[in-house]
Amino acid sequence: MLMSMDTHLLRTFVAVLEHRSFSRAASALGYTQSAVSQHIAALEADLGARLLERRPVAPTPAGTRLMEHAPALLLRLDAARADIARLPDARPARLTLACSPAALTPAVAQALAQLHTATRLLDAEVRLLARESVLEDVLTARADLGLVDGVAAPSDPLPLPDLGPTTTRAAAEQPLAVLFPAGHPLARRRSVRLTDLTQARWIDAPDTAVPLDRLRAVCRTDGFRPRIRHRGTDLHGLASLTAADLGLTALPLPLAATFPGITAVPVEEPRLVHRTELIHTAHPTATAQQLADLIPRHGEAAS
Amino acid sequence: MLMSMDTHLLRTFVAVLEHRSFSRAASALGYTQSAVSQHIAALEADLGARLLERRPVAPTPAGTRLMEHAPALLLRLDAARADIARLPDARPARLTLACSPAALTPAVAQALAQLHTATRLLDAEVRLLARESVLEDVLTARADLGLVDGVAAPSDPLPLPDLGPTTTRAAAEQPLAVLFPAGHPLARRRSVRLTDLTQARWIDAPDTAVPLDRLRAVCRTDGFRPRIRHRGTDLHGLASLTAADLGLTALPLPLAATFPGITAVPVEEPRLVHRTELIHTAHPTATAQQLADLIPRHGEAAS
DNA sequence: AATCCTTACGGTGTTCGTAAATATG
DNA sequence: CATATTTACGAACACCGTAAGGATT
């Protein structure tokens, strides 16, 4: 009766927790409530521990532990499938590029344009995603190439989770800036120390380059408490929140300087840069490699 | 008919490639040859690609791709199971510490001794493993605590693969040294540049702190070509190979200085250290935490 | 009472082993 | 011809859905 933690079971487990309901998870997965119930029961029997509280549905401690593994496992399972699926095809002419919000720089756009004229490329697609989703898209072959941005020490790689075999390469490094509303007292300074701003009001924008928990990690502090949260990839909207004095934001300096009502001040301390990295699988398609070669580089690294 | 890449199938797939034979894999797994054959057939049907060549058994390109994912997947599956299994137990009194070869320093031994007297600890075990295996042991709960060593830039973390939720902490940083046989012309120098030694004869010791591919990565060169390879965790034997002029080795300076027939010369450029890191799961056992707290620290980081 | 999850039960389809067939070197 | 993998087949079993049973709000 004890199966070896079948992937089906993990999938429904995750779905149940996402939907906080057996029945909703069931219809989402195309199963019966009964089947979902049996799946969870089987998992619990297999692992010898209760995983979920019911009514309301919530994870037990053991369920929480399992949840720390299951999504990554399922993602990697999909990645493996995708890696094999894209192996033998006559390459479809479509090229898909997944980008986190601030990673789509003019240089990238130019590279795309070059490729377009050079190869009479039929179809290219750019997907703007939350930074967490880019790696996922590349691993599952929803995108041929990815561009993620974030903050790091100069010439350090971004700390990306290692969910499968990928290759990473620095595409750009730009100075990091804090955005102030135009009249802000600190807006006249030539540079700021991040460590002076731990107690300021910040906007947490977890889908963009600089989630606040990253700033906390990089500055080794537990300041940077968010006043409000901004979800999504709309940097212009984010900047306008700052312009309205709802809180501070950090963005790459050249980009930050383009927003109206904003004064961007470079970060002086700690020594940080806004870095963009190019991601592709260990075995990129030919066109993907072509585009990758057209995107300027700024150093090198691989995983 | 298409299953969702069942974990059984992956397990037998890996076993078949490890044993290079359907029949040997079958008996290793407690199956019939027939069952193994059916497993592989099912996987190939599911993924729509031939995975193995038969007679002799060897991976096809698609099989190679799958092999880039399957072991990590299975490891993480075991890690999840272990994470849950060790959750509710009344703690068994045994504490297991997994160490890579040069990570077991006097400070660690002292910490163990302290714990032993402080808690009248019934049973402690130290496992000396190849550096790759330490993380694996911690994830699967074969060890409560891990110590891995390697080279990195000062105060940079070691690049460990992210195969599951773990916490990492620097335990020590020591100067890195190159080992020369006692009479070697360079052995009289006060320090050496690694970049001057890319063309020298090296011993590759992939199970110890400084595999040559790591040196290549860190020096951004493709030198450091191995003359011979040394497997295993026996540093004394490794040093004696160097003493016999079979090739150079890099080790932490204080340790290197203890070997007879060897002159250890500190590395001056690039700026590198030998670093030891303490690993435990995100939810360590009480005794594991106790020991961890007794081991001196040298900075901090988490994943 | 309504909603939601669990349990009982039967049909369908899958998995395994035995054994015969087939391919390879 | 010997060894190794595949295929055929039947029995045991697992899985899902229907439907009835509990539990919780």
Side-chain angles (χ1 to χ4, degrees):
Chain A
M1 186 251 196
L2 298 196
M3 294 288 298
S4 181
M5 224 179 343
D6 215 338
T7 56
H8 299 126
L9 307 186
L10 288 180
R11 244 178 252 280
T12 66
F13 172 74
V14 171
V16 166
L17 273 179
E18 275 172 354
H19 292 89
R20 304 251 133 189
S21 150
F22 281 52
S23 23
R24 278 196 295 277
S27 66
L29 295 170
Y31 282 125
T32 287
Q33 293 128 320
S34 164
V36 169
S37 192
Q38 292 176 58
H39 280 185
I40 302 299
L43 246 191
E44 290 181 330
D46 179 11
L47 295 174
R50 197 166 175 77
L51 298 171
L52 296 174
E53 297 300 344
R54 293 114 218 249
R55 298 177 90 99
V57 171
T60 64
T64 307
R65 299 285 179 88
L66 186 54
M67 206 55 188
E68 290 167 7
H69 292 276
L73 266 167
L74 295 173
L75 175 59
R76 180 136 202 187
L77 220 45
D78 293 343
R81 182 181 295 278
D83 249 2
I84 289 167
R86 77 184 128 191
L87 184 60
D89 301 348
R91 293 277 135 243
R94 155 167 278 178
L95 175 71
T96 304
L97 175 65
C99 286
S100 59
L104 186 56
T105 57
V108 172
Q110 280 164 28
L112 254 177
Q114 270 183 269
L115 186 65
H116 219 290
T117 58
T119 67
R120 292 180 184 170
L121 184 69
L122 291 185
D123 196 359
E125 175 179 319
V126 176
R127 318 183 67 197
L128 260 160
L129 302 170
R131 59 191 313 279
E132 299 220 318
S133 310
V134 172
L135 183 58
E136 192 175 313
D137 266 38
V138 171
L139 283 169
T140 57
R142 284 195 291 271
D144 301 295
L145 227 57
L147 282 166
V148 214
D149 64 317
V151 294
S155 81
D156 263 18
L158 297 178
L160 299 172
D162 175 15
L163 295 163
T166 57
T167 306
T168 299
R169 198 199 82 196
E173 283 191 5
Q174 300 176 311
L176 185 68
V178 176
L179 279 65
F180 295 99
H184 194 281
L186 290 174
R188 284 177 316 186
R189 303 186 47 176
R190 312 223 59 152
S191 67
V192 290
R193 286 175 217 267
L194 267 188
T195 41
D196 294 343
L197 295 171
T198 52
Q199 301 309 318
R201 286 181 180 141
W202 284 83
I203 303 174
D204 191 19
D207 300 337
T208 70
V210 196
L212 289 188
D213 52 6
R214 179 83 182 118
L215 281 191
R216 282 193 285 273
V218 130
C219 296
R220 293 165 198 219
T221 170
D222 55 0
F224 298 115
R225 288 297 150 188
R227 187 184 193 190
I228 61 166
R229 186 182 314 277
H230 170 276
R231 302 294 316 225
T233 61
D234 169 33
L235 295 181
H236 226 85
L238 177 60
S240 71
L241 294 181
T242 294
D245 202 18
L246 277 166
L248 305 182
T249 310
L251 282 178
L253 182 60
L255 175 63
T258 65
F259 295 120
I262 290 287
T263 310
V265 181
V267 170
E268 158 197 353
E269 192 71 32
R271 226 162 269 299
L272 291 175
V273 293
H274 174 269
R275 182 177 167 106
T276 306
E277 286 185 7
L278 182 70
I279 307 177
H280 55 259
T281 56
H283 312 279
T285 68
T287 24
Q289 187 63 59
Q290 234 174 322
L291 178 57
D293 291 340
L294 288 171
I295 293 176
R297 60 184 62 211
H298 200 281
E300 279 186 26
S303 77
Chain B
M1 185 252 197
L2 296 195
M3 295 288 297
S4 181
M5 223 182 339
D6 217 338
T7 56
H8 300 125
L9 307 187
L10 288 180
R11 243 179 252 280
T12 66
F13 172 74
V14 171
V16 166
L17 273 179
E18 274 172 354
H19 292 90
R20 305 249 130 191
S21 151
F22 282 52
S23 23
R24 278 196 295 278
S27 64
L29 296 170
Y31 282 125
T32 289
Q33 294 129 316
S34 164
V36 169
S37 192
Q38 292 176 58
H39 280 184
I40 301 300
L43 246 190
E44 290 181 330
D46 178 11
L47 296 174
R50 197 167 177 77
L51 298 171
L52 296 173
E53 296 302 345
R54 280 89 168 176
R55 306 177 79 101
V57 170
T60 64
T64 307
R65 298 285 178 89
L66 185 56
M67 205 55 186
E68 290 167 7
H69 292 275
L73 267 166
L74 296 173
L75 175 59
R76 180 135 203 188
L77 220 45
D78 293 343
R81 180 180 296 278
D83 250 3
I84 289 168
R86 78 184 129 192
L87 183 59
D89 301 346
R91 291 279 135 243
R94 156 166 277 178
L95 176 71
T96 305
L97 175 66
C99 287
S100 59
L104 185 57
T105 57
V108 172
Q110 280 164 28
L112 253 178
Q114 270 183 267
L115 185 67
H116 218 289
T117 58
T119 67
R120 292 180 184 167
L121 184 71
L122 291 184
D123 196 359
E125 176 179 318
V126 176
R127 317 182 68 196
L128 259 161
L129 302 170
R131 59 192 314 278
E132 298 219 320
S133 309
V134 173
L135 183 58
E136 192 175 313
D137 266 38
V138 171
L139 284 169
T140 57
R142 284 195 292 269
D144 302 292
L145 227 57
L147 282 165
V148 215
D149 64 316
V151 294
S155 80
D156 263 19
L158 297 177
L160 299 171
D162 176 17
L163 296 162
T166 57
T167 306
T168 299
R169 197 198 84 195
E173 283 191 5
Q174 301 176 310
L176 186 67
V178 175
L179 279 67
F180 295 98
H184 194 281
L186 291 173
R188 285 176 314 184
R189 303 187 44 176
R190 312 221 60 150
S191 68
V192 290
R193 288 174 215 266
L194 267 187
T195 40
D196 292 343
L197 294 170
T198 52
Q199 300 310 316
R201 285 180 182 142
W202 286 82
I203 303 174
D204 191 19
D207 300 336
T208 71
V210 198
L212 289 187
D213 50 8
R214 178 84 182 118
L215 281 191
R216 282 194 285 273
V218 131
C219 296
R220 293 164 199 221
T221 169
D222 55 357
F224 299 113
R225 287 299 151 187
R227 187 184 192 190
I228 61 167
R229 185 181 316 275
H230 170 276
R231 302 296 315 229
T233 61
D234 169 33
L235 295 182
H236 225 86
L238 176 60
S240 71
L241 295 182
T242 295
D245 203 18
L246 277 166
L248 305 183
T249 310
L251 283 178
L253 182 59
L255 175 64
T258 66
F259 295 120
I262 290 288
T263 310
V265 181
V267 171
E268 156 197 354
E269 193 71 32
R271 225 162 272 297
L272 291 175
V273 294
H274 173 269
R275 181 179 169 105
T276 307
E277 286 186 8
L278 183 68
I279 309 177
H280 54 260
T281 56
H283 312 279
T285 69
T287 22
Q289 187 63 58
Q290 234 175 320
L291 179 57
D293 290 341
L294 288 171
I295 294 176
R297 59 185 61 211
H298 200 282
E300 280 184 28
S303 78

